[in-house]
Amino acid sequence: MSAVNTDAQVRPREIVEAVRRLEAGELVGLPTETVYGLAADAENPEAVAKIYAAKGRPADHPVIVHVHRLADLGHWAAEVPETARQLAAAFWPGPLTLILPRKPGVAQACAGGQDTIGLRCPSHPVAQAVLAIFKGGQGGLAAPSANRFGRISPTTAAHVQAELGHDLLVLDGGACAVGIESTIVDCTVQPPRILRPGLLQAADLAAVLGVSAEALQRPADDAPRVAGALPAHYAPRTALLLRTREQIHADLAQANDTRRIGVLARHALEDGISATWMQLPDDPAGYAQRLYAALRELDQAGLDQIWVEALPPTQPWLALRDRLSRAARGSGAPGN
């Protein structure tokens, strides 16, 4: 996955200042390749509580701990199965979160009341620079998306500050290269199973583990709770509807429809149609990288509804269908 302006204007002194604040129990906006995170010392319960308060996050909703590429996973996990080591060797640093049995007494504030922990090694150079010196490279940062709980994830520093305020130090690492959250894999069972899809595909994971993609995608009703898995999530305040291309064009052709409609599509605006139209790339990686920024722009445009063109029912688009279906359920809720 290609980098997208990931080496923006972060200077060494800003890295040092961010680490100082994190080690003092403060919050920092941190760029990763997926989305921007609201970071705090994962082993400081008071600092992690500040994340939950700032986001309005439910107490039983766990947060992922981000670690340096040379970190000792045994510090966090009571056990690191061979399958987890294989996946980490193949895909870290990168957009993959591993769910492991949590070592008793470690990062309890991040666990949402469970005996598991989610670990990720981000590939963004700014995140790695912070993690390299935070607690001598062996610390972990709780860093859920830097937005109000359930809302659209931020993919630029400006998104974070617009939502959480300018008093928060946000390291500007440019636009996120991936643009949607990591694939989450439960390694507390064998073979592992995918609990949240991401752009890292089941087939890629399966090839490393020597199992079928279907085995990794089996039902997981008894699985640990993980970030971003609630039915309503990633949502704009404007009502969002998923519609076919044909439905979009048929309804916009009605001359007596006075609604202000925004459309997110994979094809260009056609003649004779009046709408706020945004075209995203017709490939999963390009679409993902621009999705949340596009949703934020439409959400701020004073529209009555946002119509999103339905995505292909194929594996490469699975994670994006997941995000949009949750966004549709959570959109337009009273009081948001």
Side-chain angles (χ1 to χ4, degrees), residues 48-336:
V48 175
K50 292 178 183 178
I51 292 178
Y52 280 81
K55 286 178 59 68
R57 189 182 185 92
D60 65 349
H61 206 60
V63 294
I64 294 167
V65 176
H66 295 63
V67 297
H68 187 256
R69 60 186 178 83
L70 299 179
D72 176 15
L73 299 188
H75 172 78
W76 306 94
E79 176 189 1
V80 184
E82 180 59 26
T83 51
R85 297 189 185 279
Q86 290 174 325
L87 291 173
F91 300 111
W92 277 7
L96 172 67
T97 295
L98 302 177
I99 303 298
L100 299 169
R102 183 172 54 85
K103 182 175 287 186
V106 174
Q108 188 169 344
C110 300
Q114 302 180 111
D115 58 3
T116 54
I117 188 167
L119 298 177
R120 184 165 100 77
C121 178
S123 65
H124 196 293
V126 173
Q128 281 294 314
V130 170
L131 288 163
I133 56 177
F134 176 67
K135 292 188 169 181
Q138 290 301 313
L141 294 175
S145 58
N147 56 279
R148 303 294 181 186
F149 184 73
R151 303 262 65 91
I152 304 168
S153 299
T155 54
T156 69
H159 293 163
V160 179
Q161 293 190 311
E163 189 145 355
L164 297 180
H166 289 269
D167 291 339
L168 176 71
L169 172 62
V170 181
L171 298 178
D172 187 352
C176 297
V178 175
I180 65 169
E181 300 76 8
S182 61
T183 304
I184 297 180
V185 177
D186 180 10
C187 292
T188 67
V189 294
Q190 302 302 325
R193 53 190 173 184
I194 296 173
L195 302 184
R196 180 178 71 184
L199 285 193
L200 185 58
Q201 300 291 304
D204 299 322
L205 303 171
V208 169
L209 297 175
V211 300
S212 69
E214 291 74 19
L216 298 180
Q217 295 175 297
R218 66 192 186 277
D221 295 336
D222 59 340
R225 296 187 305 279
V226 296
L230 295 178
H233 219 75
Y234 318 109
R237 290 173 172 81
T238 309
L240 185 153
L241 288 77
L242 303 178
R243 317 205 68 190
T244 66
R245 179 172 179 168
E246 293 73 22
Q247 288 172 329
I248 290 171
H249 285 270
D251 285 354
L252 289 178
Q254 298 179 24
N256 62 347
D257 193 337
T258 60
R259 292 174 297 179
R260 294 164 298 173
I261 302 298
V263 178
L264 197 59
R266 293 175 291 114
H267 64 284
L269 176 65
E270 298 180 7
D271 293 340
I273 290 180
S274 177
T276 300
W277 195 279
M278 298 189 71
Q279 181 182 359
L280 295 189
D282 196 16
D283 68 277
Y287 191 104
Q289 199 277 325
R290 293 178 54 188
L291 172 61
Y292 289 152
L295 285 179
R296 281 179 173 269
E297 185 174 339
L298 290 173
D299 199 26
Q300 296 164 8
L303 302 168
D304 294 313
Q305 292 182 348
I306 299 170
W307 294 355
V308 179
E309 180 183 356
L311 300 178
T314 58
Q315 278 289 316
W317 291 93
L318 173 63
L320 290 157
R321 294 197 309 274
D322 170 83
R323 302 306 189 273
L324 286 171
S325 67
R326 297 177 197 275
R329 290 190 186 188
S331 68
N336 288 337

